[in-house]
Amino acid sequence: MNEPEQAGLARLRDGWISGGAAFELAPAEWKEVAAAANPDEQERRLLAIAAQALDVALRPAAPKTLKRRPPLPALAMPMIPERLRPLLRAALKYAADARLKARVATLVASRGFVLHPMDWMPAASDQESPEVYAPWVDWQAGADGEKQSRREQLTAETWDDFYPAARRTALVDLRRTTPALARTLIETKGASESAEVRLALVELMRFGLGADDVPFLKSLSADRSGKVRELAGRLLARLGEHGNQADGGSEDPTAELAAFIEEGKSGFIRRRTTYAPMKLKSPAQQARRADLFASCYFGDLVARFGKTEPDFIGAWQFGVDDNADRFLVLMVSVSGSDAAVACLADRLVAEGGKLPLLALQLMLRLDSGRKRLLISQILNDAQNLHALNLVEGVEAGWLDWGDLAKGKTLSALRSAVSGDNSVMKRSAEQYLEAIGFLATAATAEKLIGEVVTAGLPPASPSLGLLRLNAALAENRSQSER
Amino acid sequence: MQLDLKTIEALAPDQASLSAASKLTKRSNWPRLEMNEQLGLIWGECQGSGSNPYRVAFDTGDHGYKCTCPSRKFPCKHILGLMWIGATAPASFDRVDQTPEWVNDWLGRRRKTGQQPAQSAASAEGKSIDEASRPDESAPVEDAAAAERREAAQRKRAEDTRSAVSAALDELDQWIADQLRLGLAGFVDACSERCRRIAARLVDLKATALAGRIDELPARLMALRGEEKPDAAIRELGKLVLLAKAWRATPDDPELKRLVSTSETREQVLANPDAVQVASDWEVLGEKIETRRDGLVSHATWLLDLQSPAPRFAVLLDFFPASAGRRSGAFAPGDRFKARLVFYPSRTPLRALVAERLGDAAPGAWPAFASDAGDPLAAYAAFQDGAPWLSDCPVILPAGAIALDEKDGAWWQAANDPHGIALPVEGSVNRTLLGLDLAATAALWNGARLELLASQSNMGRLDLS
């Protein structure tokens, strides 16, 4: 379309927008086409020509400020084979929330694959998805540029070349292999970061935490951020460094907390010391005690009674006051030493009943073996299977058929799916999803057979994760990677 | 997996359904019949009266079922037909280990009780498989005089329709002139009411297809930004003028009749010797499902010919009442199949019917179509030359990427021309798409916006519809 025509079209357009005859405004060539007709027909003919001109001869003008995102980074694992994507999508669809969807991604990553980005993407704030997705987390967070952080070693020089999620992953790796180097990086580079970033960096000190970290953590007692100071204090407490040295006077919170705990004796022949929460008289006392459990360090409390952390845990009377039990476990998880956490987890699992559920608070600090033991205990007595959906930080795909078959879970699942109680059926379907994450491929395969034989419809969507689990192993054996 | 005729008899809503189902038990009605014995599922595709086959699935475990047909009988004749084949000729089903995604989708949406079917709940009273199996002996025999009378009546009806449609187009012309005289600013503001009135008049005068199109015009305008609406109104009204003129010139043209009054039946298209037929491998690019103001849902399934040297497309178009609820399509995006398609006669053949399914086609990338290096919309210009009254034109765009403007509007931008050709994309896009290199993209261009269907990318095929 030439310039006079464009100008004429613009005039026509303006004329029609406001209304009335626009024939005289048209380009000369268009007028010739439309001339030999009555006035209405002239307008219609011009309208038809204008429509074609707008359709074919004019294109929407692209803004000059169009912004492209950097390419989505390639990940270190291959994409899940195309033929498994329907099973994957079914499992993702059944997963009710972001946490359960991330669990599907964790299972798939444990078998050496990543998901297709159009099927699932980690959120920008995601810290729970497998580490292999760190480049996508950074991409989601809007990182621009061409940084290739994962291929480099994280050093003071390359610090700025890493996006936050990739840097976090690299620091965790470093803390596990050469903790001193990671500490030096956190110390030197963290000082110039904002309080929020400093807090996130210091939080990584929990990986590979050791006595060598004490001087740095003590230096943080002068940090500008109260949250950083608090976190450093807890980490020091885990290392047996009593953070709140106080005089024991009326202003000492640890002493105040100790006053809520009653020392007693038990046993006839071998008298031994016990500790139990005192009976509280008012909601105000309950609130105060909760605050004190949250703010004091376990090491300080134990020192008040002149005991070691494991001894105190051994002497604690569980079951007297459920709230106090919960607060104590939370306190140990935050500021107890590794030995205290292990001792407490062992005791809770050994006690059975409802107590193993309290150990879920310790999950992030438990080693892999204890995590498995805890889950095995939950599966064994089948009383608290709903807790399977609460476990965090546990590995995927390790539960053998023997572990599952020896407990009560299998029979509980069988009776739930074959019975008439719809609530139990729905619960059983949730447990199947949870076990779908934990099970080995062979276990997944067998479990599907068991529950289908018991009456669960073979096409039940609740079997989605189990089917994906089983198919992923089958795929690996076929060397499709 | 056990099915017996008594179960079918009990599940059937009435004797008529059983009789209809008995006619669907021929293997030739079913391009696909499959079963997964482990899951206790049977499913198939049954060629119905729609443009593409109905997808039918049945769970032999709990007698759950699903069919994509619009029937309001539950179960419909297609389900009963599938069960019937399952009971009497199970060997007709191919045994497979994997269920197709549409079956998985259905399973995922089901609220299952897990209970075994209660046989007593449905009764076989008043329904009989035996009776349904008997051949229909009561077909009336028409004598020659009656046939002549029927044909004369048909000719009369056609003549009446033509006169009515001609009058409808006169009213449309006058209405368009009125809109120009009153001003398009006012038209844009009040188009819903004004379009409704003229559409109702067009329905009265038997220009039903045209009425449906005008009824949809307000929705098309509403989807645009304020400054774009006048141009869109000019384009839409101008196309109506062109369509009216074309119909007056050749009122018997099947394409124009279809666009103005009514469409041919499936049987008429299949019997038409002039209809273009293409046997090829087809990929389902995507679906476009729209609920129209007249209460119908239009379901368009866009296909790409994988054997054609230049991009060739087909669209399977079905309509069903919105009150029938959400229906899943016969095909899922990404499906590939071999089939013979029959195209509705047209200057730019697009709308088609699946005449014959010939099995599945192998997965893979799209062929490297020879593209017009200068203009990704060259196909659109050619399309408009042939049928300037149409809007949506399928195109294959060359390598490119999706970028955002300042208002977060998405644009497709050519890969090798970052400051040149860019086309606005309708609606919002999945943000992940912004980081992917698109080797080729299939989309619908309507003169103002791209509606993305699918892409080939560095991450494989992407469903975008």
Side-chain angles (χ1 to χ4, degrees), chain B residues 233-279:
Chain B
I234 291 171
R235 276 205 308 270
E236 295 290 340
L237 296 179
K239 284 176 186 295
L240 293 177
V241 171
L242 286 166
L243 180 57
K245 288 190 179 307
W247 186 89
R248 284 201 186 89
T250 50
D252 290 329
D253 181 287
E255 178 184 12
L256 298 170
K257 269 170 83 172
R258 195 181 313 130
L259 292 170
V260 171
S261 51
T262 52
S263 178
E264 310 94 310
T265 63
R266 174 186 170 83
E267 288 67 33
Q268 285 169 329
V269 175
L270 292 175
N272 187 339
D274 298 329
V276 175
Q277 302 201 14
V278 179

Coordinates of all heavy atoms in Angstrom, one line a residue, chain B residues 233-279:
Chain B
A233 N -13.4 -3.7 13.8 CA -14.8 -3.5 13.3 C -14.8 -3.3 11.8 O -15.6 -3.9 11.1 CB -15.5 -2.4 14.1
I234 N -13.9 -2.5 11.3 CA -13.8 -2.3 9.9 C -13.5 -3.6 9.2 O -14.2 -3.9 8.2 CB -12.7 -1.2 9.5 CG1 -13.2 0.2 10.0 CG2 -12.4 -1.2 8.0 CD1 -12.1 1.2 10.0
R235 N -12.6 -4.4 9.7 CA -12.2 -5.6 9.1 C -13.4 -6.6 9.1 O -13.8 -7.2 8.0 CB -11.1 -6.3 9.8 CG -9.7 -5.8 9.3 CD -8.6 -6.9 9.6 NE -8.7 -7.3 10.9 CZ -8.0 -6.8 11.9 NH1 -7.2 -5.8 11.7 NH2 -8.0 -7.3 13.1
E236 N -14.1 -6.7 10.2 CA -15.2 -7.7 10.3 C -16.4 -7.3 9.4 O -16.9 -8.1 8.7 CB -15.6 -7.8 11.8 CG -14.6 -8.4 12.7 CD -14.4 -9.9 12.5 OE1 -15.2 -10.5 11.9 OE2 -13.3 -10.4 12.9
L237 N -16.7 -6.0 9.5 CA -17.9 -5.6 8.7 C -17.5 -5.6 7.2 O -18.4 -6.0 6.3 CB -18.3 -4.2 9.1 CG -18.8 -4.0 10.5 CD1 -19.2 -2.6 10.8 CD2 -20.0 -4.9 10.8
G238 N -16.3 -5.3 6.8 CA -15.9 -5.3 5.4 C -16.0 -6.8 4.9 O -16.4 -7.0 3.7
K239 N -15.6 -7.7 5.7 CA -15.6 -9.1 5.3 C -17.1 -9.6 5.1 O -17.4 -10.3 4.2 CB -15.0 -10.0 6.4 CG -13.5 -10.0 6.3 CD -12.9 -10.8 7.5 CE -11.4 -10.7 7.5 NZ -10.7 -11.2 6.3
L240 N -18.0 -9.0 5.9 CA -19.4 -9.4 5.7 C -19.9 -8.8 4.4 O -20.7 -9.5 3.7 CB -20.2 -8.8 6.9 CG -20.0 -9.4 8.3 CD1 -20.8 -8.7 9.3 CD2 -20.3 -10.9 8.3
V241 N -19.5 -7.6 4.0 CA -19.9 -7.0 2.8 C -19.4 -7.9 1.6 O -20.1 -8.2 0.7 CB -19.3 -5.6 2.6 CG1 -19.5 -5.1 1.2 CG2 -19.9 -4.7 3.6
L242 N -18.1 -8.3 1.7 CA -17.6 -9.2 0.7 C -18.3 -10.5 0.6 O -18.6 -11.0 -0.6 CB -16.1 -9.5 0.9 CG -15.2 -8.3 0.7 CD1 -13.8 -8.5 1.3 CD2 -15.0 -8.1 -0.8
L243 N -18.6 -11.1 1.7 CA -19.3 -12.4 1.7 C -20.7 -12.2 1.1 O -21.1 -13.1 0.3 CB -19.4 -12.9 3.2 CG -20.1 -14.2 3.3 CD1 -19.5 -15.3 2.5 CD2 -20.1 -14.6 4.8
A244 N -21.4 -11.2 1.4 CA -22.7 -11.0 0.9 C -22.7 -10.8 -0.6 O -23.5 -11.4 -1.4 CB -23.4 -9.7 1.5
K245 N -21.7 -10.0 -1.1 CA -21.5 -9.9 -2.6 C -21.2 -11.2 -3.3 O -21.8 -11.5 -4.3 CB -20.4 -8.8 -2.9 CG -20.8 -7.4 -2.5 CD -19.8 -6.4 -3.0 CE -20.2 -5.0 -2.6 NZ -21.6 -4.7 -3.1
A246 N -20.3 -11.9 -2.6 CA -19.9 -13.2 -3.3 C -21.1 -14.1 -3.3 O -21.4 -14.8 -4.4 CB -18.8 -13.9 -2.4
W247 N -22.0 -14.2 -2.3 CA -23.1 -15.1 -2.3 C -24.1 -14.7 -3.4 O -24.7 -15.5 -4.1 CB -23.8 -15.0 -0.9 CG -25.0 -16.0 -0.8 CD1 -24.9 -17.3 -0.4 CD2 -26.3 -15.8 -1.2 NE1 -26.1 -17.9 -0.5 CE2 -27.0 -17.0 -0.9 CE3 -27.0 -14.7 -1.7 CZ2 -28.4 -17.2 -1.2 CZ3 -28.4 -14.8 -1.9 CH2 -29.1 -16.1 -1.7
R248 N -24.3 -13.3 -3.5 CA -25.3 -12.9 -4.5 C -24.8 -13.3 -5.9 O -25.6 -13.6 -6.8 CB -25.4 -11.4 -4.5 CG -26.3 -10.9 -3.3 CD -26.8 -9.5 -3.6 NE -27.5 -9.0 -2.4 CZ -26.9 -8.4 -1.4 NH1 -25.6 -8.1 -1.5 NH2 -27.6 -8.0 -0.4
A249 N -23.4 -13.3 -6.1 CA -22.9 -13.6 -7.4 C -23.1 -15.1 -7.7 O -23.4 -15.5 -8.8 CB -21.4 -13.3 -7.5
T250 N -22.9 -16.0 -6.7 CA -23.0 -17.4 -6.9 C -23.7 -18.1 -5.7 O -23.1 -18.7 -4.8 CB -21.6 -18.1 -7.1 OG1 -20.8 -17.6 -6.0 CG2 -21.0 -17.8 -8.4
P251 N -25.0 -17.9 -5.7 CA -25.8 -18.4 -4.5 C -25.7 -19.9 -4.3 O -26.0 -20.4 -3.2 CB -27.2 -17.9 -4.7 CG -27.3 -17.6 -6.1 CD -25.9 -17.2 -6.6
D252 N -25.4 -20.7 -5.3 CA -25.3 -22.1 -5.2 C -23.9 -22.6 -4.8 O -23.7 -23.8 -4.7 CB -25.8 -22.8 -6.5 CG -27.3 -22.6 -6.7 OD1 -28.0 -22.5 -5.7 OD2 -27.7 -22.4 -7.9
D253 N -23.0 -21.7 -4.7 CA -21.6 -22.1 -4.3 C -21.7 -22.8 -3.0 O -22.2 -22.2 -2.0 CB -20.7 -20.9 -4.3 CG -19.3 -21.3 -4.0 OD1 -19.0 -21.6 -2.8 OD2 -18.5 -21.2 -4.9
P254 N -21.2 -24.0 -2.8 CA -21.4 -24.7 -1.6 C -20.6 -24.0 -0.4 O -21.1 -24.0 0.7 CB -20.8 -26.1 -1.8 CG -20.0 -26.0 -3.1 CD -20.6 -24.9 -3.9
E255 N -19.5 -23.5 -0.7 CA -18.7 -22.8 0.4 C -19.5 -21.6 0.9 O -19.6 -21.4 2.1 CB -17.3 -22.4 -0.1 CG -16.5 -21.6 0.9 CD -15.2 -21.1 0.4 OE1 -15.0 -21.1 -0.8 OE2 -14.4 -20.6 1.3
L256 N -20.0 -20.8 0.0 CA -20.7 -19.6 0.4 C -22.1 -19.9 1.1 O -22.5 -19.3 2.0 CB -21.0 -18.7 -0.8 CG -19.7 -18.2 -1.5 CD1 -19.9 -17.6 -2.8 CD2 -18.9 -17.3 -0.6
K257 N -22.7 -21.0 0.6 CA -24.0 -21.4 1.3 C -23.7 -21.8 2.7 O -24.4 -21.5 3.6 CB -24.6 -22.6 0.5 CG -25.6 -22.2 -0.6 CD -25.9 -23.4 -1.4 CE -27.0 -24.2 -0.8 NZ -27.5 -25.3 -1.8
R258 N -22.5 -22.5 2.8 CA -22.1 -23.0 4.2 C -21.9 -21.8 5.1 O -22.2 -21.8 6.3 CB -20.9 -23.8 4.0 CG -20.5 -24.7 5.2 CD -19.2 -25.4 4.9 NE -19.2 -26.0 3.6 CZ -18.2 -25.9 2.7 NH1 -17.2 -25.2 3.0 NH2 -18.3 -26.5 1.6
L259 N -21.3 -20.8 4.6 CA -21.0 -19.6 5.4 C -22.2 -18.7 5.7 O -22.2 -17.9 6.6 CB -19.8 -18.8 4.7 CG -18.5 -19.5 4.7 CD1 -17.5 -18.7 3.8 CD2 -17.9 -19.6 6.0
V260 N -23.2 -18.8 4.8 CA -24.3 -17.9 4.9 C -25.5 -18.6 5.6 O -26.1 -18.0 6.5 CB -24.7 -17.3 3.6 CG1 -26.0 -16.5 3.7 CG2 -23.6 -16.4 3.1
S261 N -25.9 -19.8 5.1 CA -27.1 -20.4 5.6 C -26.8 -21.7 6.4 O -26.6 -21.7 7.6 CB -28.1 -20.6 4.5 OG -27.5 -21.3 3.4
T262 N -26.7 -22.8 5.6 CA -26.5 -24.0 6.4 C -25.4 -24.9 5.7 O -25.1 -24.7 4.5 CB -27.8 -24.9 6.4 OG1 -28.2 -25.0 5.0 CG2 -28.8 -24.3 7.2
S263 N -24.8 -25.8 6.5 CA -23.8 -26.6 6.0 C -24.3 -27.9 5.4 O -25.4 -28.3 5.8 CB -22.8 -26.9 7.2 OG -21.8 -27.7 6.8
E264 N -23.5 -28.5 4.6 CA -23.9 -29.8 4.1 C -23.8 -30.9 5.2 O -23.1 -30.6 6.2 CB -22.9 -30.3 3.0 CG -22.6 -29.3 1.9 CD -21.4 -28.5 2.1 OE1 -21.3 -27.9 3.2 OE2 -20.6 -28.3 1.2
T265 N -24.4 -32.0 5.0 CA -24.3 -33.0 6.0 C -23.0 -33.8 5.7 O -22.4 -33.7 4.6 CB -25.5 -34.0 5.9 OG1 -25.4 -34.6 4.6 CG2 -26.8 -33.3 6.1
R266 N -22.6 -34.6 6.7 CA -21.4 -35.4 6.5 C -21.6 -36.3 5.3 O -20.7 -36.4 4.5 CB -21.3 -36.3 7.8 CG -20.2 -37.3 7.7 CD -20.2 -38.2 9.0 NE -19.2 -39.2 8.8 CZ -17.9 -39.1 8.9 NH1 -17.4 -38.0 9.4 NH2 -17.1 -40.2 8.7
E267 N -22.8 -36.9 5.2 CA -23.0 -37.8 4.0 C -22.9 -37.1 2.7 O -22.4 -37.6 1.7 CB -24.4 -38.5 4.2 CG -24.5 -39.5 5.3 CD -24.4 -38.9 6.7 OE1 -24.8 -37.7 6.9 OE2 -23.8 -39.6 7.6
Q268 N -23.4 -35.9 2.7 CA -23.3 -35.1 1.4 C -21.9 -34.8 1.0 O -21.5 -34.9 -0.1 CB -24.1 -33.8 1.5 CG -25.6 -34.0 1.5 CD -26.4 -32.7 1.9 OE1 -25.9 -31.9 2.7 NE2 -27.6 -32.5 1.3
V269 N -21.1 -34.5 2.0 CA -19.7 -34.2 1.7 C -19.0 -35.4 1.2 O -18.2 -35.4 0.2 CB -19.0 -33.6 3.0 CG1 -17.5 -33.4 2.7 CG2 -19.6 -32.3 3.4
L270 N -19.2 -36.5 1.9 CA -18.5 -37.8 1.6 C -19.0 -38.3 0.2 O -18.2 -38.9 -0.6 CB -18.8 -38.9 2.6 CG -18.2 -38.7 4.0 CD1 -18.7 -39.8 4.9 CD2 -16.7 -38.6 3.9
A271 N -20.2 -38.0 -0.2 CA -20.7 -38.4 -1.5 C -20.4 -37.5 -2.6 O -20.5 -37.8 -3.8 CB -22.3 -38.6 -1.4
N272 N -19.8 -36.3 -2.3 CA -19.5 -35.3 -3.3 C -18.3 -35.7 -4.1 O -17.2 -35.7 -3.5 CB -19.3 -33.9 -2.6 CG -19.2 -32.8 -3.6 OD1 -18.8 -33.0 -4.8 ND2 -19.4 -31.6 -3.1
P273 N -18.4 -36.0 -5.4 CA -17.2 -36.4 -6.2 C -16.2 -35.3 -6.3 O -15.0 -35.6 -6.6 CB -17.8 -36.8 -7.5 CG -19.1 -36.1 -7.6 CD -19.6 -35.9 -6.2
D274 N -16.6 -34.0 -6.1 CA -15.7 -32.9 -6.3 C -14.9 -32.6 -5.0 O -14.0 -31.8 -5.1 CB -16.4 -31.7 -6.8 CG -17.1 -31.9 -8.1 OD1 -16.5 -32.7 -8.9 OD2 -18.2 -31.3 -8.3
A275 N -15.3 -33.2 -4.0 CA -14.6 -32.9 -2.7 C -13.2 -33.4 -2.7 O -12.9 -34.6 -3.2 CB -15.4 -33.6 -1.5
V276 N -12.2 -32.6 -2.3 CA -10.8 -33.0 -2.3 C -10.6 -34.0 -1.2 O -11.1 -33.9 -0.1 CB -9.9 -31.7 -2.0 CG1 -8.5 -32.1 -1.9 CG2 -10.1 -30.7 -3.0
Q277 N -9.9 -35.1 -1.6 CA -9.6 -36.1 -0.7 C -8.0 -36.2 -0.5 O -7.3 -36.2 -1.5 CB -10.1 -37.5 -1.1 CG -11.6 -37.4 -1.4 CD -12.2 -38.8 -1.3 OE1 -11.6 -39.7 -0.9 NE2 -13.5 -38.9 -1.8
V278 N -7.6 -36.3 0.7 CA -6.1 -36.4 0.9 C -5.9 -37.5 1.9 O -6.3 -37.5 3.1 CB -5.6 -35.1 1.5 CG1 -4.1 -35.2 1.7 CG2 -5.8 -33.9 0.5
A279 N -5.1 -38.5 1.4 CA -4.7 -39.6 2.3 C -3.3 -39.3 2.7 O -2.4 -39.2 1.9 CB -4.8 -41.0 1.7

